[in-house]
Amino acid sequence: MTSRRAAQAQKPLATRAETASEFEEATNLLAETPDAATTSRTDQLTPQGHVAVAVGLGAEDEVEENDKTSLLQEEKQQPGFWTFDYYQSFFDVDTSQVLDRIKGSLLPRPGHNFVRHHLRNRPDLYGPFWICATLAFVLAITGNLTLVLAQRKDPSIHYSPQFHKVTVAGITIYCYAWLVPLALWGFLRWRKGVRERMGPYTFLETVCVYGYSLFVFIPTVVLWLIPVPWLQWLFGALALALSASGLVFTLWPVVREDTRLVAAVLLSAVVLLHALLAVGCKFYFFQPLPLEHIAPPPQAISLSPNTLLASTSPRTMVT
Amino acid sequence: MAEAAESPGDPATASPKPLFAGLSDISISQDIPVEGEITIPMRSRIREFDSSTLNESVHNTIMRDLKAVGKKFMHVLYPRKSNTLLRDWDLWGPLILCVTLALMLQQGSADNEKDGGPQFAEVFVIIWFGAVTITLNSKLLGGNISFFQSLCVLGYCILPLTVAMLVCRLVLLADSGPINFMVRLFVVIVMFAWSVIASTAFLADSQPPNRKALAVYPVFLFYFVISWMILTFTPK
């Protein structure tokens, strides 16, 4: 009889009220017959939310069960997405945690999965949001600074603050860091059926991975101020390698169980998009200045190279 | 007006009297007047107070608000650990500062409009949406400061940067050169540091200690962007 009751207590957590009463029954039974030994059965498990009641002798296990009940009940109580507390749960990070995640993105290692190792399945929105904001502003500001430096060399170049680039930078970076993870997450969920071992990452974890992987571009963009072209390309390649390898190492465990073709296509698409972003930003914000001056001309002819450059480069950037 | 029936005065009957029988002896007759004045002395005083601010001259009203704004400006310029900005927050000061800064920063139509500095609307949007974003960020991180208090502090702490803008415009009236740029750079850096320190003094205490840096960094970024806009201002 006790084993049947214990088996009953192993139903999935579909209805909290039922399982709570079943736990109560189990604890009451244990209180009555403290010498009963119940073992957990694995034949009635469902893959989603099974409760393995492996109880032994003694009263402390009852306390453990009650604790487990209350803990599981707490986890179930997610606030609705229209409440403030729902979003507050995504900002539940300390300074040290954010710094640790940034360090983890800067130094990717083959065995280390960013999501499991650093995020520990608690993604945050602070990192992605502020890293994207910083990157957008740094891009616009250093792009403008190169114009200042170029004016030093060639005084006929007319300096202008080029404030519209801030808008462009912001839109590009934020769209990349939020829409590409959305597409990736959707694709991985679609292929979920092929994988057995590892479930896909949640949308927030994907956004986190992408957001933190963009951090390495911030010092790179600052270093792009040095007006030596081959050095700029070297720094760019280095940053791209670090960032893309972080992404690949994180995605590899999820994609490895899929067919070879899908895995190869997905990973190469991820790396390609990342490279496109880096190259596009380099070309748009750090324009190699044309030989003709960007001075305010009296005639309209010399306006055309500038407008031509400004109109073609966004096309290469916005993929 | 209950007129109680008088019990027959018959002490000889020894019938048991019901409960509260004596109450029926009380009769509220019409010869005792129940009337009077119910006045609450407080009420007239409140009426007096209301009409005093209604009837005062416009000059008094405006001066009172201006003095409050001016007092808060003083608190920003000499940041001490005081609660005035937080307790009586208002958004007049930030509005005045934002409009002044945006008016001074806007560029007219240049030869190539896209290449110019920020327009009035861009400055306005950056300041207000930046302040709202920082406030939301600080609240989401668990800070216990109210929404408008934080907006008030962030807005008032733009005052040093507005002063820097005025100084830059005056300096730019002289002929431009590297010394000109150095002076402007120095002024903007000093005022930027002042803004960040002033706002941190007010805002940092409202955060839990292990998240202070997370809440202060966006403030730093916000004032850095405004300083950049001031530094790159070039007149026609």
Side-chain angles (χ1 to χ4, degrees):
Chain A
M1 185 181 69
T2 43
S3 58
R4 203 197 81 211
R5 288 297 179 100
Q8 260 186 10
Q10 291 168 31
K11 285 197 192 125
L13 266 180
T15 54
R16 263 186 316 157
E18 284 176 29
T19 47
S21 59
E22 280 166 349
F23 273 119
E24 267 183 320
E25 279 183 17
T27 49
N28 289 339
L29 274 168
L30 276 172
E32 287 169 6
T33 59
D35 292 333
T38 56
T39 56
S40 65
R41 296 229 182 143
T42 51
D43 48 355
Q44 290 186 19
L45 291 176
T46 60
Q48 269 184 341
H50 67 274
V51 175
V53 180
V55 289
L57 305 165
E60 64 262 24
D61 295 319
E62 297 176 32
V63 175
E64 240 178 27
E65 264 184 63
N66 287 334
D67 282 345
K68 224 187 278 185
T69 322
S70 59
L71 187 70
L72 290 164
Q73 281 174 353
E74 262 173 48
E75 274 180 40
K76 273 295 200 177
Q77 270 169 9
Q78 279 248 329
F81 69 92
W82 57 88
T83 58
F84 189 72
D85 293 334
Y86 179 74
Y87 298 103
Q88 206 165 18
S89 61
F90 302 136
F91 280 77
D92 197 13
V93 278
D94 296 336
T95 314
S96 54
Q97 283 177 339
V98 170
L99 289 174
D100 172 61
R101 290 172 187 195
I102 290 178
K103 263 192 293 211
S105 78
L106 283 176
L107 308 162
R109 277 183 285 172
H112 268 75
N113 186 344
F114 184 74
V115 171
R116 300 282 172 249
H117 192 74
H118 287 276
L119 291 186
R120 291 187 203 276
N121 295 82
R122 293 187 63 209
D124 69 302
L125 276 181
Y126 179 90
F129 184 80
W130 288 110
I131 290 177
C132 290
T134 312
L135 185 61
F137 283 119
V138 165
L139 263 177
I141 288 175
T142 48
N144 204 227
L145 271 175
T146 52
L147 196 57
V148 169
L149 291 178
Q151 194 194 22
R152 289 291 166 81
K153 274 191 239 168
D154 187 1
S156 55
I157 295 176
H158 174 71
Y159 168 77
S160 59
Q162 291 178 324
F163 196 73
H164 65 285
K165 294 205 168 172
V166 171
T167 321
V168 172
I171 293 178
T172 317
I173 302 286
Y174 271 100
C175 281
Y176 180 80
W178 290 78
L179 291 181
V180 172
L182 183 67
L184 184 67
W185 171 76
F187 182 78
L188 286 177
R189 275 188 78 94
W190 176 53
R191 302 287 298 170
K192 190 171 83 157
V194 182
R195 276 187 306 277
E196 296 102 24
R197 240 183 306 158
M198 193 156 159
Y201 300 132
T202 66
F203 172 60
L204 278 171
E205 287 171 347
T206 327
V207 165
C208 248
V209 169
Y210 263 87
Y212 280 105
S213 76
L214 284 177
F215 179 81
V216 74
F217 285 113
I218 296 178
T220 313
V221 165
V222 174
L223 283 173
W224 273 347
L225 275 175
I226 306 173
V228 180
W230 62 267
L231 203 61
Q232 288 179 343
W233 284 109
L234 180 69
F235 284 138
L238 205 68
L240 181 65
L242 273 177
S243 184
S245 60
L247 284 175
V248 165
F249 292 149
T250 308
L251 285 174
W252 177 243
V254 180
V255 145
R256 139 177 83 186
E257 292 154 25
D258 219 332
T259 62
R260 278 206 170 256
L261 180 67
V262 170
V265 165
L266 184 70
L267 288 177
S268 54
V270 161
V271 173
L272 193 68
L273 278 173
H274 224 66
L276 268 173
L277 178 79
V279 169
C281 285
K282 167 106 180 41
F283 274 125
Y284 184 68
F285 293 101
F286 297 86
Q287 270 170 357
L289 295 167
L291 292 176
E292 297 149 55
H293 308 147
I294 321 179
Q299 60 278 57
I301 303 174
S302 27
L303 269 180
S304 47
N306 194 18
T307 48
L308 198 69
L309 262 173
S311 63
T312 51
S313 5
R315 221 173 291 138
T316 59
M317 188 179 52
V318 178
T319 58
Chain B
M1 290 282 281
E3 192 115 10
E6 287 164 316
S7 53
D10 202 355
T13 57
S15 57
K17 291 221 169 147
L19 267 173
F20 303 116
L23 276 179
S24 53
D25 291 344
I26 304 169
S27 70
I28 304 171
S29 60
Q30 256 128 354
D31 42 281
I32 305 175
V34 182
E35 59 187 86
E37 286 184 35
I38 304 175
T39 54
I40 304 170
M42 280 301 292
R43 203 158 144 213
S44 59
R45 241 185 279 152
I46 290 174
R47 278 250 172 88
E48 212 176 300
F49 185 63
D50 272 347
S51 62
S52 74
T53 56
L54 265 179
N55 284 344
E56 70 177 4
S57 63
V58 175
H59 176 262
N60 280 354
T61 314
I62 293 183
M63 284 313 293
R64 189 175 55 233
D65 280 335
L66 273 182
K67 277 195 197 131
V69 168
K71 200 162 80 148
K72 292 201 191 69
F73 279 166
M74 285 300 129
H75 276 277
V76 168
L77 286 179
Y78 305 106
R80 288 182 299 264
K81 291 266 180 189
S82 83
N83 261 341
T84 315
L85 252 111
L86 292 178
R87 229 183 16 226
D88 327 307
W89 59 267
D90 73 271
L91 290 179
W92 282 115
L95 183 68
I96 294 173
L97 287 172
C98 177
V99 167
T100 314
L101 196 59
L103 277 176
M104 288 198 286
L105 269 177
Q106 67 167 349
Q107 303 269 10
S109 61
D111 50 329
N112 190 357
E113 255 186 47
K114 307 192 318 162
D115 256 2
Q119 300 296 320
F120 181 91
E122 286 172 333
V123 179
F124 213 80
V125 160
I126 282 190
I127 291 181
W128 284 104
F129 275 90
V132 166
T133 310
I134 296 174
T135 307
L136 276 179
N137 174 65
S138 132
K139 282 189 79 75
L140 283 169
L141 281 173
N144 60 355
I145 192 171
S146 102
F147 183 77
F148 286 109
Q149 280 173 346
S150 170
L151 276 186
C152 169
V153 167
L154 287 168
Y156 270 103
C157 290
I158 298 181
L159 177 67
L161 287 170
T162 313
V163 170
M165 183 71 213
L166 281 165
V167 171
C168 279
R169 278 211 103 145
L170 288 175
V171 168
L172 278 171
L173 287 176
D175 50 339
S176 62
I179 308 174
N180 196 312
F181 179 71
M182 282 299 150
V183 167
R184 280 188 295 141
L185 183 68
F186 177 71
V187 167
V188 168
I189 287 180
V190 165
M191 292 301 172
F192 163 68
W194 200 335
S195 281
V196 172
I197 290 172
S199 63
T200 313
F202 293 115
L203 286 178
D205 286 337
S206 66
Q207 287 290 331
N210 51 348
R211 294 182 187 184
K212 277 210 172 76
L214 293 185
V216 167
Y217 170 72
V219 175
F220 173 86
L221 187 67
F222 176 64
Y223 289 125
F224 184 76
V225 170
I226 298 182
S227 316
W228 174 257
M229 289 197 292
I230 292 174
L231 191 59
T232 61
F233 173 75
T234 47
K236 295 297 157 307

